[in-house]
Amino acid sequence: MDLNSDLGEGFGIWKLGDDNALLSIITSANVACGFHAGDPSTMRKVCEEAARTGVKIGAQVSYRDLAGFGRRFIDADPIELADEVLYQIGALDACARAAGTEVVYVKPHGALYNATVHHEKQAEAVVNGTKAFGRLPILGLPGSRLLAKAEATGLRAVQEAFADRGYTPEGTLVPRSQPNALLTDTAQIIERATRLQEGEIVAVDGTVIKTQAESLCVHGDTPGAVEHARAVKEALGTVTAFV
C-alpha cells in the first residue's frame, strides 16, 4: 500500500503542517502547486526534501482559489481548467527537476477532487491537462468519472482511499461542512487503515464499501497528522510507492 499526504500547503509567511516530518514517513507527496496553496519557495523546499528522502512527488492541482483553499466549487471553463492543470504540473515539475527528481503523478485537490467524481467536463479537463504534460498516473476516488476518463485515454487510474475522512454509503466523501467528515482519533484512523488491507471501508452509517485502493491518504492539515501517519505506517507493516 502507498501512503500519501498533502504537502507544501503554506503560502508566504503562513505555514500549514509539518512537511519534513511527514516526508520521513510517507511514500508519495501530493504537493500544492500555487493555486490553492503553495508558492515557488515552498514548492522547491518540499521537492528538495522529497528528493532527499526518496519520496515520490505528485502535483496536487486545484482550482485557482487561494482564498478558499481550493475547497469551493468553481464552474470553470473546461479548456481553461485543462490549461491551468497543465500549468500547475509544469511549475511543480520545474521545482522537482531543480532538486534532481520529477513529478510522477497527478491528484486533484479539494473541491476539484470532489467535482470530478461526477462532473464529466471537469473530469475530462483534468485528464486533458495531465495528458498535455505527459502520461502521468492520476489518483482519484474509486468509481469517479475522473478515473474512468483517465483509463479510457490510456492513463493509469489509481484508486485512493482516505484514512482520516468519513465516507457516505455511496462511497463518496462526507462534505467537510457536515458531521463525521473528519476522523481525528488515532485508533479510528488505524482501524480504517487495517480494514483497508481487507479491501473494505466502513461508511458513517456502518455500510461496508468494497474497494481496491492502491494508495491511502493522511491529510497533512488534519490535527495530529504526523502521529496519525506514523501509526498508520506501523499498522500497515509495509508501505511502498505505487509508481
Side-chain angles (χ1 to χ4, degrees):
M1 177 70 68
D2 174 57
L3 185 60
N4 78 70
S5 190
D6 303 343
L7 304 184
E9 292 188 315
F11 188 83
I13 63 170
W14 181 65
K15 305 299 180 186
L16 181 66
D18 191 338
D19 290 347
N20 285 356
L22 285 166
L23 284 166
S24 70
I25 301 167
I26 62 174
T27 47
S28 300
N30 319 312
V31 183
C33 303
F35 273 36
H36 76 280
D39 56 42
S41 294
T42 300
M43 291 159 65
R44 188 165 184 180
K45 286 176 184 175
V46 173
C47 288
E48 288 172 348
E49 185 64 15
R52 190 187 71 79
T53 54
V55 173
K56 301 297 184 182
I57 295 174
Q60 188 163 41
V61 298
S62 172
Y63 295 126
R64 189 188 292 271
D65 182 28
L66 277 175
F69 198 63
R71 287 181 176 162
R72 302 180 293 189
F73 173 76
I74 295 176
D75 190 14
D77 176 84
I79 295 175
E80 291 180 4
L81 181 57
D83 291 341
E84 291 187 341
V85 166
L86 171 62
Y87 179 93
Q88 291 176 79
I89 300 170
L92 183 62
D93 191 60
C95 293
R97 288 181 183 275
T101 183
E102 62 184 332
V103 170
V104 293
Y105 68 93
V106 172
K107 174 186 170 179
H109 165 80
L112 181 58
Y113 186 100
N114 290 322
T116 59
V117 173
H118 301 296
H119 199 299
E120 292 278 344
K121 294 293 186 182
Q122 293 204 356
E124 187 174 17
V126 172
V127 171
N128 287 344
T130 301
K131 281 195 71 176
F133 179 83
R135 303 189 67 80
L136 299 182
I138 296 180
L139 259 71
L141 202 69
S144 64
R145 299 310 304 150
L146 176 66
L147 293 192
K149 287 187 176 294
E151 209 162 44
T153 57
L155 300 183
R156 182 179 172 193
V158 181
Q159 297 185 33
E160 180 184 34
F162 292 85
D164 52 8
R165 289 296 311 276
Y167 279 80
T168 70
E170 294 74 34
T172 57
L173 300 179
V174 174
R176 285 179 177 267
S177 60
Q178 296 182 12
N180 303 314
L182 194 64
L183 279 64
T184 57
D185 179 73
T186 303
Q188 284 185 303
I189 291 171
I190 291 173
E191 182 181 1
R192 165 70 56 76
T194 53
R195 191 74 177 263
L196 191 64
Q197 289 181 307
E198 302 169 14
E200 296 178 343
I201 292 173
V202 180
V204 291
D205 69 344
T207 300
V208 176
I209 304 163
K210 296 295 183 181
T211 182
Q212 295 179 328
E214 296 181 62
S215 187
L216 179 63
C217 178
V218 176
H219 282 93
D221 64 337
T222 297
V226 174
E227 291 74 20
H228 297 330
R230 188 173 290 118
V232 166
K233 185 176 183 179
E234 290 175 1
L236 291 176
T238 302
V239 288
T240 307
F242 68 87
V243 66

